[in-house]
Amino acid sequence: MSERCPVPLLWPRMAHSARRDSPELPDFSLLKRLARDQLVYLLEQLPGKKDLFIEADLMSPLDRIANVSTLKEHEVDKLYKVEYKPITSTSDQLCFLIRPRIKTVKWICDVANADKATGKFRRYKIIFTPQKFYACEAVLEEQGIFGDVTTDEWAFYLLPLDDDIISLELPEFFRDNFLAGDQRWVRTAGSALHLLHSLYGPFSKVYGIGRCSKMAYESWREQVAEGEQRTRQAEIGRVFLIDRDVDFVTPLCSQVVYEGLVDDIFRIKCGCVEFGPDVTSDKSVKVMLNSQDKVFNEIRNEHFSNVFGFLSQKARNLQTAYDKRRGMDIKQMKTFVSEELKGLKQEHRLLSLHIGASESIMKKKTKQDFQELLKTEHSLLEGFEIRECISFIEEHINRQVSMIQSLRLLCLLSITENGLMPKDYRSLKAQYLQSYGVDHLLTFANLRHLGLLVEQQPGETLTVMESKVGKLVNDKTAGKLTDAFSSLARKSNFRALSRRLNLVPKSGEEYDLRVPRDMAYIFSGAYVPLSCKLIEQVLERDGWTGLEEVTKLLNGNEFAVTGSNGADSKAKNDAQRIILVMFLGGCTFSEISALRFLGREKGYKFIVVATAITNSSRLLESLLDNHV
């Protein structure tokens, strides 16, 4: 497909090219070393041979910190996955490495009580990570084994997934905080920030928007006030905190940059992806996806339409490098084998994997009428042809294409239109429940609670700016005038934000995806992600001044605070151009690509810290309640 494009044109602005003056990123491997040392210390608190039970979703993060041989060195005998059933371990010492979840603590109590009943004496140690909650200790007390176990905390807050991506690996943060209103993870986010501040700070300026961001900031400030201050050379200058619910549109859009597509289709887990036989034509392989993979590093941020052109050029270059060996004498051949061959073989292996992945993505996407789907999304974002979009969504639901995808389109329709007209809402909801089961009623309640899928109330059909600021008509009249205003009906906060921040470029303009001109390239030129646009605007203005109307539309909770340590925010040293962005509730690979693009354009380097990496499927799966 891209074979015909003149390849040299493709690469001047490619993902890996950076402004020459762009600053160096801090070294985050220190975070891994600290976490490993603390875990080793905690294991040594239980001397002698022991069996270690690890919670399933901690296995991948643990593997990035301490491998099996490290654990064996510290007298861990056997490793088990927590499976909530009676255990087969015969060891006298059991160590449990778990998240602070009541279900898991209850299971540990069952294990200990079963041992008591059979007169078996063992020592038990529970290591909670990243922290323990009072509720967990209360369960131990209730079950009568509080005195029989020792508990500890492994303060493993941050896992570096790449040079510029750090994850808290807490996918439950989103549901717990935004749906259940459970704020127990806020302090965890504050502690993660505190750790980064103590290692790479002091920060000169902190900006943020969202209720959770404000609380995390306050929690961090409290921890700073409690600890001692050290003056050191800052490596990170500015910090931006943002709540996921400030921008739901971006994670609900289909991803079209390479890394985002790989995540949508193959699911990247903890920086690692498993490619099956459809990619490898052989057995499944696990691949680490980060900047060490030279092939991946050059295509990760590229729009998918550019990827094949790059890979075919890479294959030709590789062939040329292999062909060099023809006509070499013995000495040259020896040098070639010892210095170049290994690297070429590794590159060859990675290249064939990414070509396989790209072909697999192409097959899956053509099968699903992907172009038609993108067209519908773009129409929703622009606010055009809404009736046609609703027909497409109805067909999607009735053909039972995908439970999650249908839900995603419904949410996108609702957010971009400031809620659905009552008759549309009722009709679409009924069709969805008929297609996918009435047990999704609770899911609809969750989505309504979050404002993701709502019915317009009479009088809400005016645009937010007209109804809030203009006070054109009072509520009583608005109720009567709903029909008369139905032409205005579907203008929402999103529409108003989109106009104010210019999020949707004019559709008539040509957009060359090979030479992107703004962050909209990550959505084929159709939409600039709101989250990233806010970050760009606030950094440009050094605060929220001039964005008052925007923050009003986003329900406020914005803040901008200068560091109390006297760090000069105007100092043009390298640290000031390193910006840490913390997404509370998850962040997508598309947003990371957009920030990398912004960094290259403006001479910044962004470090993304997320409670977890998310995408539309993960976000919506966390809100499903169909397991009645």
Side-chain angles (χ1 to χ4, degrees):
M1 76 191 235
S2 302
E3 283 281 330
R4 288 168 308 161
C5 19
V7 172
L9 271 181
L10 269 171
W11 317 130
R13 299 275 290 274
M14 272 216 65
H16 58 282
S17 62
R19 269 174 51 158
R20 266 188 289 279
D21 64 341
S22 101
E24 283 296 300
L25 285 166
D27 174 16
F28 293 118
S29 61
L30 178 58
L31 293 169
K32 284 188 187 178
R33 289 202 301 277
L34 283 172
R36 183 171 53 243
D37 292 351
Q38 198 195 356
L39 179 63
V40 164
Y41 172 76
L42 292 171
L43 289 172
E44 285 174 350
Q45 300 296 296
L46 191 63
K49 279 201 177 301
K50 52 199 152 282
D51 283 358
L52 180 62
F53 288 78
I54 306 164
E55 200 150 1
D57 56 357
L58 277 172
M59 286 190 136
S60 296
L62 178 64
D63 203 35
R64 301 284 297 261
I65 295 296
N67 54 23
V68 175
S69 54
T70 308
L71 298 173
K72 297 272 185 199
E73 278 167 30
H74 298 281
E75 298 187 284
V76 170
D77 190 17
K78 294 196 180 86
L79 293 168
Y80 297 91
K81 187 160 84 172
V82 168
E83 288 183 313
Y84 305 108
K85 58 186 189 191
I87 63 167
T88 54
S89 167
T90 53
S91 174
D92 291 339
Q93 301 199 107
L94 304 182
C95 189
F96 301 89
L97 183 59
I98 64 166
R99 290 271 184 232
R101 292 179 187 137
I102 286 172
K103 180 187 176 187
T104 320
V105 177
K106 279 188 173 161
W107 169 75
I108 294 170
C109 294
D110 292 344
V111 168
N113 285 326
D115 285 347
K116 268 187 189 173
T118 55
K120 189 171 178 66
F121 173 77
R122 310 199 218 217
R123 291 177 68 191
Y124 311 95
K125 181 183 182 71
I126 304 175
I127 301 174
F128 292 103
T129 183
Q131 65 199 84
K132 63 182 168 195
F133 294 130
Y134 169 73
C136 296
E137 295 192 318
V139 171
L140 294 172
E141 220 165 321
E142 250 168 49
Q143 301 285 322
I145 68 154
F146 188 71
D148 304 327
V149 298
T150 52
T151 61
D152 247 313
E153 284 183 339
W154 179 30
F156 173 35
Y157 294 111
L158 297 162
L159 174 67
L161 296 179
D162 207 342
D163 300 343
D164 59 350
I165 310 173
I166 303 171
S167 171
L168 277 78
E169 289 299 308
L170 285 176
E172 63 258 57
F173 187 105
F174 176 69
R175 184 183 168 113
D176 286 356
N177 188 78
F178 295 102
L179 180 66
D182 179 347
Q183 292 159 8
R184 63 191 170 153
W185 295 117
V186 168
R187 185 166 173 87
T188 312
S191 302
L193 208 50
H194 183 50
L195 178 60
L196 288 165
H197 178 258
S198 55
L199 295 176
Y200 305 104
F203 309 142
S204 60
K205 197 86 185 245
V206 183
Y207 317 98
I209 184 159
R211 189 160 160 261
C212 183
S213 290
K214 213 165 194 173
M215 291 192 292
Y217 168 76
E218 279 156 10
S219 163
W220 165 58
R221 289 308 308 164
E222 280 168 21
Q223 293 177 58
V224 169
E226 287 163 17
E228 72 233 38
Q229 297 294 311
R230 291 197 313 277
T231 47
R232 57 192 300 282
Q233 181 62 45
E235 289 180 72
I236 297 173
R238 294 181 279 177
V239 176
F240 194 107
L241 307 176
I242 184 166
D243 283 14
R244 183 69 278 168
D245 66 354
V246 166
D247 173 17
F248 276 137
V249 171
T250 303
L252 288 174
C253 290
S254 291
Q255 304 197 73
V256 285
V257 291
Y258 182 69
E259 190 166 11
L261 267 170
V262 170
D263 188 37
D264 277 355
I265 290 172
F266 302 103
R267 296 244 170 169
I268 298 173
K269 187 180 172 193
C270 212
C272 189
V273 70
E274 188 165 337
F275 287 137
D278 56 328
V279 171
T280 60
S281 318
D282 194 8
K283 53 183 191 299
S284 294
V285 291
K286 284 194 169 177
V287 184
M288 289 292 286
L289 292 180
N290 56 32
S291 53
Q292 308 301 290
D293 175 340
K294 294 290 176 271
V295 177
F296 174 70
N297 197 39
E298 294 186 57
I299 55 175
R300 67 193 310 180
N301 304 310
E302 285 298 301
H303 188 277
F304 191 63
S305 60
N306 294 345
V307 169
F308 273 113
F310 171 76
L311 292 174
S312 57
Q313 178 64 24
K314 195 86 176 158
R316 287 195 286 274
N317 294 351
L318 203 58
Q319 190 59 53
T320 313
Y322 271 130
D323 290 345
K324 269 192 348 197
R325 65 195 167 173
R326 294 207 180 110
M328 284 183 177
D329 60 29
I330 296 290
K331 191 178 176 200
Q332 289 168 321
M333 183 62 89
K334 193 178 170 188
T335 313
F336 174 77
V337 170
S338 63
E339 288 176 14
E340 287 181 55
L341 192 60
K342 194 180 171 195
L344 289 174
K345 281 193 163 169
Q346 169 73 346
E347 205 167 318
H348 186 181
R349 189 184 74 85
L350 293 169
L351 189 59
S352 57
L353 276 174
H354 290 297
I355 290 172
S358 301
E359 284 172 344
S360 179
I361 289 169
M362 282 294 286
K363 274 186 210 142
K364 288 192 172 81
K365 289 304 181 190
T366 33
K367 202 168 73 183
Q368 293 172 354
D369 309 327
F370 193 51
Q371 290 309 318
E372 202 57 37
L373 184 72
L374 286 182
K375 191 173 152 241
T376 303
E377 285 181 29
H378 294 174
S379 297
L380 290 174
L381 292 164
E382 288 168 12
F384 292 148
E385 301 176 334
I386 296 303
R387 295 313 321 166
E388 284 88 332
C389 293
I390 290 176
S391 302
F392 178 87
I393 296 170
E394 285 179 325
E395 190 189 336
H396 201 276
I397 292 169
N398 298 329
R399 280 171 48 212
Q400 297 182 329
V401 179
S402 150
M403 177 184 82
I404 287 287
Q405 294 296 341
S406 297
L407 209 52
R408 177 174 77 79
L409 289 168
L410 285 174
C411 292
L412 206 50
L413 171 68
S414 172
I415 299 174
T416 52
E417 294 296 295
N418 196 27
L420 304 181
M421 302 290 274
K423 69 175 193 305
D424 288 335
Y425 180 82
R426 285 194 289 273
S427 156
L428 287 164
K429 182 178 176 181
Q431 289 177 66
Y432 189 91
L433 295 174
Q434 278 163 1
S435 253
Y436 298 114
V438 289
D439 44 1
H440 278 287
L441 269 168
L442 287 173
T443 304
F444 275 82
N446 291 344
L447 295 171
R448 188 176 66 238
H449 181 74
L450 275 177
L452 277 167
L453 183 51
V454 296
E455 187 179 355
Q456 283 179 358
Q457 299 305 313
E460 271 190 3
T461 47
L462 307 170
T463 61
V464 172
M465 293 313 292
E466 283 157 339
S467 55
K468 278 191 181 170
V469 182
K471 299 281 181 221
L472 292 178
V473 282
N474 64 28
D475 289 346
K476 214 176 281 179
T477 334
K480 290 174 191 163
L481 291 178
T482 300
D483 294 334
F485 278 94
S486 61
S487 60
L488 288 174
R490 294 163 300 275
K491 291 181 183 170
S492 70
N493 289 29
F494 176 74
R495 292 273 170 267
L497 283 164
S498 179
R499 277 199 307 274
R500 291 203 168 273
L501 293 168
N502 199 16
L503 298 180
V504 179
K506 306 235 177 344
S507 53
E509 295 174 12
E510 271 300 304
Y511 197 101
D512 185 355
L513 291 166
R514 290 176 301 173
V515 189
R517 62 168 178 263
D518 58 18
M519 292 185 282
Y521 91 92
I522 67 159
F523 293 122
S524 309
Y527 162 66
V528 178
L530 168 60
S531 51
C532 303
K533 187 73 175 180
L534 284 173
I535 293 163
E536 177 194 40
Q537 290 293 311
V538 168
L539 289 174
E540 220 167 78
R541 298 159 192 265
D542 192 25
W544 295 94
T545 321
L547 294 170
E548 290 78 10
E549 291 298 354
V550 169
T551 55
K552 199 183 293 179
L553 291 169
L554 292 168
N555 301 323
N557 284 315
E558 76 284 356
F559 57 93
V561 190
T562 305
S564 54
N565 47 32
D568 179 14
S569 62
K570 292 284 175 282
K572 280 284 169 240
N573 64 358
D574 277 358
Q576 291 315 308
R577 289 185 296 132
I578 292 188
I579 293 130
L580 187 141
V581 179
M582 190 176 202
F583 285 88
L584 295 157
C587 164
T588 65
F589 280 117
S590 291
E591 286 168 308
I592 295 171
S593 290
L595 288 175
R596 285 178 181 142
F597 176 87
L598 181 64
R600 289 194 305 278
E601 292 289 289
K602 308 274 187 190
Y604 298 139
K605 275 278 177 70
F606 285 99
I607 297 153
V608 174
V609 178
T611 49
I613 298 290
T614 194
N615 59 22
S616 57
S617 302
R618 286 193 199 102
L619 189 102
L620 291 170
E621 280 162 13
S622 71
L623 300 173
L624 289 180
D625 261 328
N626 60 330
H627 38 256
V628 184

